[in-house]
Amino acid sequence: MTSVILFCALAWSLLGGFGALRGRTPDARPLVYGASFIVAAIASGAAILQLAFGATSGTAVVLPLGLPHLGMNFQMTGLSAAFLIITDVGAATASLYAVGYGRGEPEAWRVLPFFPLFIAAMNMVLIAADAYDFLIFWELMSLSSWALVVAHHEDEEARASGVVYLVMASSGTLALLLAFGLLAGVHGQYDFASIRAAHPGSWVGAVVMLLALFGAGSKAGLVPLHIWLPRAHPAAPSHVSALMSGVMTKVAVYAFVLIVFDFLGKPAWWWGLIVLIMGGITAVLGVLYALMEHDLKRLLAYHTVENIGIIFIGLGLALAFRAERLDVCAALALAAAVFHAFNHSLFKNLLFLGSGAVLARTGERDMERLGGLLRRMPQTGLLFLIGSVAISGLPPLNGFASEWMLFQAILLSPRLSAWSLKLAVPSVGAMLALAAALSAACFVKVFGITFLGRPRSPAASAATETDAFSRAGMIGLAALCVVVGLAPGMVIDLFAPVTRSLLGARLPAGHGMSWLTVVPVSLSRSSYNPLSIFALIAAGAGFAAVILHRYGSRIICRAPPWGCGYTSPEDATAASPSLSTQYSASGFAQPIRRVFGSFVFNARDQVTMPMPGDVAPAHLISALIDPVWQCCYAPLLVLVGWAADRMNRLQFLTIRRYLTIVFITLVVLLVWVAPWG
Amino acid sequence: MMVTLVNSIFGPNGALSLAHALSGALVLVSFMMLYQDRLSAVINVLALHSAVLGLAVAWQAWIQAEPQLYITAVIALGFKAMIIPLALHRIVRRLNIHREVEAAVGIGLTMLAGMGLVALSLVVMLHTAAHSAVLAREDVALALATILLGMLMMIARRNAVSQIAGFMSLENGLILAAAGAEGMPLVVEISVTFSIVIAFIVIGVFLFRIRERFDTIDSTALDAFRGELQ
């Protein structure tokens, strides 16, 4: 099955080449995206087959390229197969969507060469079986996605995002490079089999863990390394945003799991603590950022930060349990993390594709200028609603299933013996609960402001339903959200090889009807049967609807609402003040901004009211300060600027001075070598 | 036959001792170059330096029975001991700078620094190659000393011609190290030699150019041209 993925990657690369050569012809776009969809479907099928029926690890393939004596090693393990499913399901739906969406894309030839290359690079990272290939394709993934971010390079903001993205991606790759260098040891054994066999010392292991946390965390978007993510993800075309947010962040999660769980052996107790705390902070800060944001795509990108936090909470728990040899508990936490990664890839792709449909039909990303789209784009609206329910963690959809499993793992924390963990895990659990609740509030805002109410701009009132291919892509994702939500046991069983190969343990299989009921630990402790919950919800909602329509609908009468004195409520023009009297996104977020924003973001609302009798408009200005930027990056920028000013003098030396510097460096190095040899 | 003759004269390790003596002579000539204060004298010492190198490489070729090393020796004797010094003399004459003395650092300080560098290279080799044979180790140490002294020559002089001389002696040290190490492919030496010839041609053309522009070949004039003189 490894070779199937290799052939698929080759096919994508050829498609990229085709896109580069023939990108300007009108037929190229549907051809590239359509073929990319077919290849992704084949690849995800291969990964599912490998995971369901294959051995734990696929056959190793060695190509006679790359470094001498090393070659290019590829192997599909259980872990990589799980993440290949995430990647290729996302790639298939995004490609299908793009067949329709790309029609309205200006300058499609800037996207066509890099889109298949990006997918190919992610696939190759997942099946790479030596450090050299891993880093090469990791960098290819970063660079091709960078090219996609700056596809709209006329936009000043997109260019700035590109720079920030490039800097963060390079420093992350540097950290991973150092981590693999330490793992390879003094003999430079870069293939994963030798890295697995060699167990590094405790200090080396700790440094590698921290480097992996930095390298993978900067790609995944862990706070405080997330700053590029909400800038770069929305700047790309929407189907690329979906891939970057839904899929590429998962490749980063894969890198972390691979290094820390597969290569490093037994963790120290404090590793889990660090990852847990970073995950908790990321989850809460991510959703708070999202609540303050009114740009639809940027809001979704902040929710990616939040969900990465949730996934890292699971990984941190798994590390903590593993350090104390509670392998079954660790398996539960890790399974919950991987399952949530899969779920997040489904609903985040769905939401980004939905926002792309809205953007394509209205030209607006600012929620304050949308509204009333459910009447104009009913199918997109319904699909977006499914995604919103799933990301909010409401039963019976998939987001609930994985977050519920994560809470079950948190409830096992009394089994831990370290006191700091005993104290930290429940508080991280509280942060997780807070993040889940706030994200539900956030999606009430998103859906309510964007799809309900009346349109807030002429563009929104003129919107029409999106095309069939776009809808097909979204319908596929929404159907998967529902199916996975109703039968989570099926997916958990499918992903069981991950925990079995990494931890030697798996969840207790269900009792006879495993795919209907999830039993994380034991039946007496807790179980979750989504079908019965779904039946309950359906019955309750149906009953309420029947009651309402039977007894309530007759006394409804339509009347114009009170419009604050404005008399033309149906006048849908931008100039009409009546449209801005609707509930706005910032109005919805204001209570939360007051509670959390005042101390996290130092948020200040400034209201200027005209004097009584004056007809001038009132103004509300709310100012936010990004704490992460303020604490971490602003001082760093000052430091870099200072150092650059000092180093600038090096550029204006005489030739003899340069020679002297070279000479002194050489002598110092020799002096260094002399006593250490 | 000759090896046994040498051995009978200088003792059991005589062949290696002679190689060692030639390497030491190369370092000695490097020191001679450091205290020359006339350009024409510097060029003569460079010719001597290359000639000693040629002898050292030829002797290595004899005791290692590696005929291709003779090519290196011939290149050293022909190119670097004759053609390049003659060309440099011609340049100096045409530029009329044969009386110029341009040491940036005092001669005494330079000599002291040079002694420190020789000591450093001996210490480095003592530590990094503790397990190898004494003579082989010291040969490499002497080659390293020649390289470092060449660099010192380059930074201790302002004049571009003396800097070329320093660069050439640096390269001689590299060739000495390469000839001492058994099994170094000939291709490497040839390519190094050719790169030196190319560098010589480029620098020669360059010298005439800057002379035309600035009426001097003091390389600080270039900095003034950049507008960055401090």
Side-chain angles (χ1 to χ4, degrees):
Chain A
M1 288 300 168
T2 312
S3 39
V4 176
I5 302 292
L6 276 175
F7 278 116
C8 289
L10 181 67
W12 274 310
S13 313
L14 292 177
L15 281 177
F18 178 76
L21 292 175
R22 293 250 168 264
R24 285 169 194 263
T25 55
D27 295 337
R29 196 188 41 75
L31 198 74
V32 168
Y33 288 130
S36 168
F37 164 68
I38 294 168
V39 177
I42 293 171
S44 45
I48 291 174
L49 283 179
Q50 169 76 32
L51 208 51
F53 303 111
T56 313
S57 293
T59 48
V61 176
V62 183
L63 297 184
L65 299 168
L67 288 186
H69 313 300
L70 182 65
M72 289 183 125
N73 298 272
F74 299 101
Q75 189 176 27
M76 199 200 295
T77 60
L79 180 66
S80 51
F83 281 87
L84 276 171
I85 294 176
I86 295 176
T87 305
D88 290 325
V89 168
T93 46
S95 305
L96 184 59
Y97 171 89
V99 173
Y101 172 80
R103 203 173 295 161
E105 178 76 22
E107 300 191 322
W109 61 86
R110 294 192 197 283
V111 178
L112 282 181
F114 299 111
F115 182 80
L117 198 64
F118 178 41
I119 302 175
M122 288 194 289
N123 274 276
M124 297 293 266
V125 167
L126 294 175
I127 59 169
D130 63 72
Y132 176 76
D133 287 330
F134 185 93
L135 288 170
I136 290 272
F137 291 113
W138 179 274
E139 199 58 16
L140 183 64
M141 173 179 88
S142 297
L143 290 179
S144 53
S145 55
W146 172 80
L148 292 167
V149 167
V150 295
H152 298 303
H153 65 100
E154 315 81 20
D155 185 6
E156 173 71 33
E157 202 185 323
R159 286 205 303 274
S161 316
V163 171
V164 176
Y165 178 36
L166 210 54
V167 170
M168 292 306 288
S170 311
S171 41
T173 309
L174 178 67
L176 285 183
L177 182 76
L178 294 176
F180 277 117
L182 283 175
L183 283 171
V186 284
H187 301 299
Q189 289 169 319
Y190 289 105
D191 58 313
F192 285 175
S194 340
I195 291 179
R196 268 186 204 107
H199 290 291
S202 59
W203 277 107
V204 175
V207 174
V208 168
M209 195 285 289
L210 292 176
L211 284 171
L213 190 63
F214 183 87
S218 71
K219 189 56 108 188
L222 272 186
V223 172
L225 306 168
H226 69 285
I227 49 148
W228 63 274
L229 195 148
R231 295 162 196 248
H233 286 189
S238 293
H239 54 298
V240 179
S241 308
L243 275 188
M244 289 180 75
S245 234
V247 174
M248 190 173 69
T249 54
K250 308 305 174 299
V251 177
V253 171
Y254 164 80
F256 184 77
V257 175
L258 179 76
I259 293 177
V260 175
F261 285 85
D262 202 358
F263 293 164
L264 283 184
K266 188 180 177 298
W269 65 272
W270 53 270
W271 296 9
L273 189 66
I274 291 182
V275 178
L276 262 175
I277 292 175
M278 280 190 79
I281 293 174
T282 304
V284 173
L285 264 185
V287 71
L288 282 178
Y289 276 122
L291 271 162
M292 304 298 130
E293 188 61 59
H294 307 312
D295 177 317
L296 192 52
K297 285 179 77 176
R298 188 173 290 182
L299 183 146
L300 292 175
Y302 275 124
H303 268 283
T304 300
V305 175
E306 181 225 340
N307 279 283
I308 286 297
I310 294 176
I311 293 167
F312 270 82
I313 289 176
L315 296 179
L317 265 180
L319 276 176
F321 283 127
R322 195 183 181 197
E324 307 211 356
R325 300 203 176 283
L326 297 167
D327 279 342
V328 178
C329 306
L332 173 61
L334 182 64
V338 176
F339 187 30
H340 193 72
F342 177 61
N343 289 337
H344 178 247
S345 81
L346 294 180
F347 50 67
K348 185 47 63 73
N349 272 10
L350 173 58
L351 290 169
F352 257 117
L353 298 183
S355 74
V358 170
L359 177 62
R361 292 296 151 140
T362 62
E364 285 292 343
R365 273 161 54 177
D366 187 358
M367 283 161 47
E368 307 279 27
R369 298 179 56 77
L370 295 170
L373 289 179
L374 194 58
R375 284 179 182 281
R376 289 159 182 86
M377 309 173 76
Q379 299 192 21
T380 306
L382 184 66
L383 295 167
F384 199 91
L385 181 62
I386 292 175
S388 304
V389 172
I391 199 174
S392 307
L394 296 180
L397 294 188
N398 56 351
F400 177 78
S402 48
E403 287 189 25
W404 180 82
M405 275 175 70
L406 198 50
F407 276 114
Q408 295 305 314
I410 286 174
L411 291 178
L412 291 173
S413 67
R415 294 191 188 179
L416 292 167
S417 61
W419 273 101
S420 53
L421 282 168
K422 265 189 201 296
L423 291 175
V425 175
S427 47
V428 168
M431 288 164 97
L432 178 60
L434 178 67
L438 287 177
S439 81
C442 190
F443 274 91
V444 171
K445 177 181 96 170
V446 173
F447 192 78
I449 302 294
T450 310
F451 287 96
L452 303 181
R454 282 176 289 128
R456 292 175 178 78
S457 67
S461 61
T464 51
E465 185 55 83
T466 187
D467 61 280
F469 282 111
S470 300
R471 272 175 296 168
M474 292 192 280
I475 288 170
L477 285 167
L480 276 174
C481 280
V482 174
V483 169
V484 172
L486 291 182
M490 210 167 61
V491 181
I492 295 168
D493 282 348
L494 184 65
F495 285 174
V498 175
T499 51
R500 203 166 51 228
S501 63
L502 291 183
L503 300 170
R506 57 160 296 165
L507 303 181
H511 301 272
M513 32 196 294
S514 68
W515 60 280
L516 283 180
T517 311
V518 183
V519 183
V521 188
S522 65
L523 200 55
S524 61
R525 198 178 169 99
S526 57
S527 64
Y528 168 53
N529 188 332
L531 272 184
S532 57
I533 296 217
F534 176 63
L536 204 66
I537 292 172
F543 185 66
V546 166
I547 295 282
L548 277 178
H549 280 280
R550 179 74 184 78
Y551 299 104
S553 58
R554 282 178 203 156
I555 48 172
I556 283 180
C557 63
R558 287 178 177 273
W562 183 66
C564 292
Y566 300 108
T567 49
S568 56
E570 299 304 320
D571 181 13
T573 58
S576 168
S578 68
L579 298 174
S580 54
T581 55
Q582 286 188 78
Y583 206 22
S584 70
S586 54
F588 186 90
Q590 194 201 31
I592 295 167
R593 193 164 68 232
R594 289 215 171 137
V595 174
F596 296 102
S598 53
F599 78 93
V600 178
F601 299 110
N602 203 7
R604 294 280 173 273
D605 284 358
Q606 193 190 355
V607 185
T608 42
M609 292 294 282
M611 294 299 287
D614 189 354
V615 292
H619 287 289
L620 168 71
I621 300 168
S622 58
L624 296 178
I625 294 173
D626 184 346
V628 174
W629 185 268
Q630 202 73 6
C631 298
C632 303
Y633 290 92
L636 193 68
L637 281 179
V638 171
L639 190 69
V640 168
W642 180 84
D645 273 351
R646 293 292 163 287
M647 307 254 279
N648 200 18
R649 293 172 58 179
L650 277 181
Q651 208 169 353
F652 303 106
L653 298 182
T654 61
I655 296 173
R656 225 167 51 77
R657 286 253 174 89
Y658 286 126
L659 286 174
T660 313
I661 290 173
V662 171
F663 181 68
I664 289 175
T665 312
L666 180 63
V667 170
V668 166
L669 287 177
L670 285 176
V671 170
W672 174 265
V673 167
W676 295 96
Chain B
M1 183 201 77
M2 196 156 162
V3 172
T4 43
L5 181 70
V6 169
N7 277 352
S8 65
I9 299 171
F10 292 102
N13 250 340
L16 287 176
S17 297
L18 190 57
H20 196 56
L22 285 168
S23 307
L26 202 63
V27 175
L28 207 62
V29 178
S30 290
F31 271 104
M32 283 170 64
M33 194 184 291
L34 281 180
Y35 67 74
Q36 301 303 323
D37 51 8
R38 295 285 170 93
L39 273 184
S40 46
V42 169
I43 296 168
N44 288 339
V45 175
L46 175 66
L48 179 61
H49 200 272
S50 304
V52 173
L53 174 78
L55 287 178
V57 173
W59 182 244
Q60 285 287 350
W62 179 264
I63 59 174
Q64 288 180 27
E66 294 258 12
Q68 70 263 42
L69 277 181
Y70 287 117
I71 303 174
T72 313
V74 167
I75 291 173
L77 282 172
F79 261 105
K80 303 175 78 181
M82 295 176 194
I83 297 177
I84 289 180
L86 283 177
L88 281 175
H89 272 303
R90 194 162 154 266
I91 290 175
V92 167
R93 261 200 315 281
R94 276 184 55 189
L95 295 174
N96 199 19
I97 50 172
H98 54 277
R99 270 190 297 276
E100 284 186 34
V101 181
E102 276 156 317
V105 186
I107 296 285
L109 200 60
T110 317
M111 297 299 282
L112 279 178
M115 281 184 240
L117 290 177
V118 175
L120 175 67
S121 43
L122 284 173
V123 172
V124 167
M125 282 304 146
L126 209 64
H127 280 271
T128 50
H131 54 275
S132 53
V134 179
L135 282 176
R137 190 174 73 207
E138 298 208 338
D139 274 346
V140 179
L142 291 174
L144 181 61
T146 313
I147 293 169
L148 291 175
L149 289 174
M151 285 193 87
L152 184 62
M153 179 76 190
M154 285 178 81
I155 62 167
R157 302 298 171 110
R158 284 220 180 83
N159 190 297
V161 173
S162 345
Q163 285 174 353
I164 295 174
F167 182 61
M168 296 278 167
S169 69
L170 185 158
E171 201 267 338
N172 285 349
L174 283 179
I175 291 188
L176 180 70
E182 290 179 25
M184 169 74 79
L186 182 67
V187 179
V188 174
E189 291 160 35
I190 290 178
S191 59
V192 169
T193 312
F194 268 103
S195 72
I196 291 302
V197 173
I198 300 290
F200 171 75
I201 294 168
V202 171
I203 292 173
V205 172
F206 184 62
L207 280 182
F208 282 103
R209 283 270 154 204
I210 44 177
R211 169 65 178 237
E212 270 172 31
R213 295 261 176 214
F214 303 110
D215 250 8
T216 174
I217 55 166
D218 188 332
S219 56
T220 39
L222 288 179
D223 304 317
F225 178 64
R226 283 200 304 189
E228 290 153 4
L229 188 63
Q230 286 164 349

